[in-house]
Amino acid sequence: MTQKGVRRVFGGRVLDGLRTLREDLWTVRADPLPPSTRLRRLPHTVLCVAAFGITLGGTAQLTDNGSQGLGSGFLTALAQGGAVVVALRRPIPAWWLSTGATLVSALMIHARLGVPPGSEVTWPWTTAGILAQLLVLLLLALRVRTRVAAEALGLTVLVTYFLESVWGGDVARPTGVLALALFTVVVVLGTALRGRREARVELGRQTTLTAEERARRTLLEERSRIARELHDVVAHHMSVISIQAQVAPHLVADPPPELRENLEGIRQNALEALTELRRVLGVLRSEGPGADAPDDAGADPHSPQPDLERLGALVENTRAAGLRVTLRTVGARRSLPSGVQLSAYRIVQEALSNALRHAPGASARVDVEYVPYGLRVRIVNSRPQRAAPASPGAGHGLLGMRERVAMLGGDLRTGPEPDGGYQVSAFIPVAALAEGSEDGPDDVLPFPDPQKDDSA
């Protein structure tokens, strides 16, 4: 590359650097200092008090030692103290104000260095100017990018070098080296604190995303488990349909060909649906069927799904695990859909498991009520007698209950009792089986009056 080309490249990079510097530092963009989590507005108050002290101290130093008039000294000190207040909201304009006030102060002091008592003043940075610039650079480094903070520090170094080394000459008390050392320390400190704050914010964001993803995954796993169980119920009904379609022609003497053809079609469709259900069920079970119940531990994954007839065995197993349980059935028992029975069983199972884990020493009561238009299940445990140990579970049992009840169009209510216990109440709607029932839809409420229920 020729010398002309080198100069062109170098000039282009210089122009790019100056353009970047202008974009970073020639702005009045607001960037308010946020309140502290623990200290609230205390840092803002401390900085305002410091700004007031800088104004008073700077005025005294400039008028007494700098041989300045009261008016010019006060305005210069006010600009330095005001820069600290401005930095609370607009750090970059505050840096310009502080640096400019110091430059003006240095020019006025330099002109009076030979006038007593000018030999006692510090130059080019007065004590008040150093304090103001320290606070401004710290507030700037806390809220802008590292590159911008480095640029502000670099320009401060250039201004100080020009004043003290190039133009200053012999002065009584030079402060350039000390000031630059302090400025570098606060910029590094502010940059480190800003990086730490950003890391904490990012960690909090990642923690929130992780919690949301965990909750979403738990919901999907719970729905997969419910679907896995209901596939067994659907497969059973499809098998019954296939068998009935096969047997039906033999129950009628000389069935017409059309009937045989329709029943054969029903049977074939049922068999095909059953085959597809078994494939899907195999995929779901390959993910690892779990048994989270006291009586299902170690159960065969292909065993029939439990129903309300097995509530007695569930209660006995729970008693053996150490929880005092009473079971009460209200109303005439009747045949209910398999999905309803399975969901009711799982709700009782999960509620008793929660009582075992979270209410040591408590007792529980299970009420199963058959009503004309649904099934009501209520599980109440008393107040625990001792503190519960840490549970290794995921703590999403209530989520599974709500999913089951919502799937069947029912309602679920959970919450603490006045005596310190806990209750789980579920209502699952079921169509009435008896046409002549004296109870109508208006006579059945999803949840009874608590006082009436307790007095029963």
Side-chain angles (χ1 to χ4, degrees):
M1 183 179 293
T2 63
Q3 185 176 5
K4 184 177 181 180
V6 172
R7 286 199 300 267
R8 183 180 302 170
V9 172
F10 179 75
R13 291 182 177 179
V14 171
L15 290 177
D16 291 340
L18 292 176
R19 190 179 299 110
T20 301
L21 190 66
R22 177 180 179 276
E23 292 175 355
D24 290 341
L25 295 180
W26 196 254
T27 177
V28 293
R29 181 179 62 254
D31 190 0
L33 180 68
S36 174
T37 304
R38 297 179 180 178
L39 302 178
R40 302 295 179 182
R41 293 285 179 177
L42 180 60
H44 299 70
T45 304
V46 172
L47 289 172
C48 290
V49 173
F52 181 73
I54 289 172
T55 302
L56 293 183
T59 301
Q61 187 176 16
L62 290 174
T63 55
D64 294 342
N65 299 330
S67 301
Q68 303 297 314
L70 180 60
S72 59
F74 174 74
L75 291 178
T76 303
L78 180 63
Q80 292 173 335
V84 177
V85 178
V86 174
L88 293 173
R89 184 169 182 82
R90 301 180 187 272
I92 293 179
W95 172 80
W96 281 110
L97 178 60
S98 175
T99 305
T102 297
L103 181 60
V104 172
S105 171
L107 294 176
M108 291 191 301
I109 292 175
H110 189 274
R112 306 284 296 180
L113 282 179
V115 180
S119 60
E120 300 296 328
V121 72
T122 57
W123 192 86
W125 292 92
T126 63
T127 303
I130 292 176
L131 293 177
Q133 192 77 351
L134 283 174
L135 293 176
V136 168
L137 285 175
L138 177 61
L139 293 173
L140 183 142
L142 285 173
R143 279 133 65 205
V144 301
R145 291 175 295 174
T146 303
R147 185 185 71 189
V148 180
E151 292 169 350
L153 177 62
L155 289 180
T156 303
V157 171
L158 289 178
V159 170
T160 304
Y161 174 77
F162 173 79
L163 289 175
E164 183 173 310
S165 300
V166 177
W167 182 64
D170 296 331
V171 293
R173 293 185 182 181
T175 56
V177 176
L178 175 63
L180 293 182
L182 294 177
F183 296 160
T184 303
V185 170
V186 297
V187 169
V188 172
L189 176 62
T191 302
L193 292 176
R194 176 177 176 271
R196 180 174 177 268
R197 185 184 71 241
E198 291 181 346
R200 292 179 61 183
V201 171
E202 180 64 20
L203 179 60
R205 190 179 70 85
Q206 292 296 332
T207 301
T208 301
L209 292 177
T210 301
E212 293 176 354
E213 183 62 27
R214 186 184 298 114
R216 188 180 301 110
R217 185 173 64 250
T218 302
L219 176 62
L220 294 177
E221 290 174 353
E222 189 64 29
R223 289 180 176 178
S224 176
R225 187 169 72 94
I226 295 173
R228 195 164 55 232
E229 294 178 350
L230 291 180
H231 269 77
D232 291 343
V233 176
V234 177
H236 168 71
H237 287 301
M238 296 303 296
S239 299
V240 172
I241 292 173
S242 176
I243 295 172
Q244 289 177 339
Q246 185 178 8
V247 174
H250 301 284
L251 302 179
V252 181
D254 298 328
E258 293 82 2
L259 178 60
R260 286 181 178 273
E261 183 179 352
N262 287 335
L263 290 175
E264 181 63 23
I266 293 174
R267 179 174 177 274
Q268 290 298 327
N269 289 331
L271 290 175
E272 291 178 4
L274 183 60
T275 301
E276 296 300 327
L277 282 173
R278 285 173 177 169
R279 290 176 182 172
V280 175
L281 184 58
V283 173
L284 291 175
R285 278 180 167 157
S286 65
E287 298 177 358
D292 58 354
D295 65 331
D296 287 349
D300 182 1
H302 297 285
S303 60
Q305 296 295 341
D307 54 20
L308 294 178
E309 296 297 329
R310 295 180 59 183
L311 277 182
L314 173 63
V315 169
E316 291 298 328
N317 289 342
T318 307
R319 288 171 181 166
L323 181 66
R324 300 187 304 274
V325 186
T326 57
L327 175 62
R328 185 183 68 162
T329 302
V330 180
R333 296 190 179 185
R334 67 177 188 270
S335 177
L336 297 175
S338 302
V340 173
Q341 295 197 54
L342 173 61
S343 296
Y345 179 91
R346 292 301 189 194
I347 290 172
V348 175
Q349 182 184 57
E350 183 63 37
L352 293 179
S353 298
N354 288 341
L356 275 172
R357 286 193 297 265
H358 305 299
S363 60
R365 187 186 73 194
V366 179
D367 294 334
V368 180
E369 183 177 358
Y370 291 84
V371 294
Y373 289 91
L375 179 71
R376 185 180 296 121
V377 179
R378 188 167 184 258
I379 306 94
V380 182
N381 63 267
S382 61
R383 189 169 73 178
Q385 301 300 317
R386 55 185 181 275
S391 175
H396 293 281
L398 293 178
L399 177 62
M401 296 183 195
R402 295 190 185 279
E403 287 294 314
R404 292 181 184 277
V405 173
M407 174 187 63
L408 297 172
D411 194 10
L412 178 75
R413 296 183 184 178
T414 61
E417 291 282 89
D419 61 355
Y422 199 86
Q423 73 150 335
V424 175
S425 300
F427 173 76
I428 304 175
V430 180
L433 299 181
E435 296 181 358
S437 174
E438 296 180 357
D439 296 325
D442 296 335
D443 300 326
V444 180
L445 297 176
F447 292 95
D449 187 346
Q451 297 181 354
K452 294 182 180 179
D453 186 77
D454 293 337
S455 62

